[in-house]
Amino acid sequence: PQTSQPTPGDFKKQYEFLSSHYKSLISIHLPKELSGTMQSAQTASKKNNNSNNISIIDSLSISGGMGLIVSYAAEAAHLGYSKDEIKQLISTIIPKTNVYASVFDLSYSVKGGRIPKIVKTISDIIKFNPILATNDLGKMKISGGFFGKKNFAKKTAKQLLNKIDKNKEYRIIITHCNCNERATKLLNYFKSNLVKINYSYVIDCGSALGVHLGPGSLVAGIQEYIPIKQKK
């Protein structure tokens, strides 16, 4: 299976519809280094009569990580913050949001053209399961990993706990590729290790990402909790 980004026409219709109801729009997207989606959005926004009031933002994140950023922006909007104030809050929260993908079977990433076949061959020989993350530019990189598939959720949790400051509070979204029980175990490992969690969700992984990660994989979006003050 292959994936393809929405066309500029798709975004144009959506922006025209929203512009008829709202004075300004903030459009948050997958990293431009990973997808042409943001470019389609930028092309469409320039053709909109309300183009000066449409802001296109690179989330530098994917899946649950991007969901956390969108939720944070929506919370600010609900509290009455202006467009410029929300954009400033987004720029602050993006560096405090990380996403990690623990890949169960690399064959799907090979089929989708995301990684070279040689990487899977080496991984199979040494029985290594990589954990991927987005870097400061939004590109995917290997951020860790572990050996063997037994206790997959626990081993994933052990890796990710090393990246968490237990003195801080977090919002967490765990997305899974047809392995809800494994995802729930991952979240419970965070809780049992005294991670301070403001809120958390376990949800299905989106099909566009799932087709490249394959069944059994886990994605953890982890965001440092920064309270948004109620406007007076």
Side-chain angles (χ1 to χ4, degrees):
Q2 299 292 313
T3 56
S4 179
Q5 72 264 15
T7 66
D10 293 327
F11 282 111
K12 185 174 182 292
K13 292 177 183 177
Q14 189 66 28
Y15 291 156
E16 287 176 350
F17 171 74
L18 292 172
S19 294
S20 68
H21 291 78
Y22 301 97
K23 293 180 180 179
S24 59
L25 309 175
I26 296 176
S27 195
I28 304 173
H29 295 275
L30 291 167
K32 62 182 178 181
E33 296 289 348
L34 296 180
S35 171
T37 303
M38 187 170 165
Q39 184 177 354
S40 289
Q42 289 171 328
T43 300
S45 68
K46 292 174 182 177
K47 296 180 180 180
N48 190 284
N49 293 331
N50 194 35
S51 60
N52 291 335
N53 291 319
I54 301 176
S55 294
I56 311 296
I57 295 178
D58 189 332
S59 71
L60 301 179
S61 190
I62 62 172
S63 190
M66 187 170 68
L68 288 166
I69 294 167
V70 172
S71 295
Y72 194 78
E75 183 180 348
H78 180 71
L79 291 172
Y81 281 74
S82 69
K83 178 190 172 190
D84 288 340
E85 289 171 333
I86 295 172
K87 287 172 62 180
Q88 181 58 48
L89 287 171
I90 292 172
S91 67
T92 300
I93 205 64
I94 284 177
K96 298 183 181 299
T97 306
N98 294 290
V99 64
Y100 303 96
S102 188
V103 186
F104 189 74
D105 183 351
L106 286 174
S107 62
Y108 294 88
S109 296
V110 172
K111 291 175 183 177
R114 298 294 174 171
I115 67 167
K117 188 175 181 179
I118 185 64
V119 174
K120 179 185 181 302
T121 301
I122 295 172
S123 177
D124 289 345
I125 292 173
I126 63 177
K127 301 185 184 303
F128 181 74
N129 299 287
I131 293 179
L132 308 177
T134 52
N135 62 17
D136 294 341
L137 298 175
K139 290 184 177 181
M140 296 300 292
K141 63 176 182 178
I142 294 180
S143 180
F146 50 88
F147 296 95
K149 298 188 185 300
K150 188 176 180 180
N151 298 318
F152 191 85
K154 185 176 183 179
K155 290 177 180 177
T156 298
K158 186 176 180 180
Q159 288 282 316
L160 300 189
L161 285 167
N162 291 329
K163 305 176 186 298
I164 289 178
D165 183 345
K166 291 186 178 180
N167 294 315
K168 296 179 179 179
E169 193 171 357
Y170 293 90
R171 289 178 170 179
I172 297 174
I173 295 179
I174 307 295
T175 63
H176 65 88
C177 300
N178 201 27
C179 56
N180 183 73
E181 183 178 352
R182 180 176 291 166
T184 302
K185 284 182 179 180
L186 175 58
L187 180 59
N188 287 337
Y189 281 125
F190 282 126
K191 294 177 178 178
S192 63
N193 280 275
L194 305 179
V195 175
K196 299 175 184 177
I197 299 177
N198 179 261
Y199 73 61
S200 61
Y201 293 99
V202 171
I203 60 175
D204 294 329
C205 184
S207 58
L209 179 60
V211 75
H212 295 299
L213 292 182
S217 297
L218 298 169
V219 183
I222 303 174
Q223 182 183 83
E224 182 183 335
Y225 174 53
I226 307 294
I228 302 176
K229 296 180 181 180
Q230 177 73 52
K231 295 207 76 173
K232 295 181 180 179

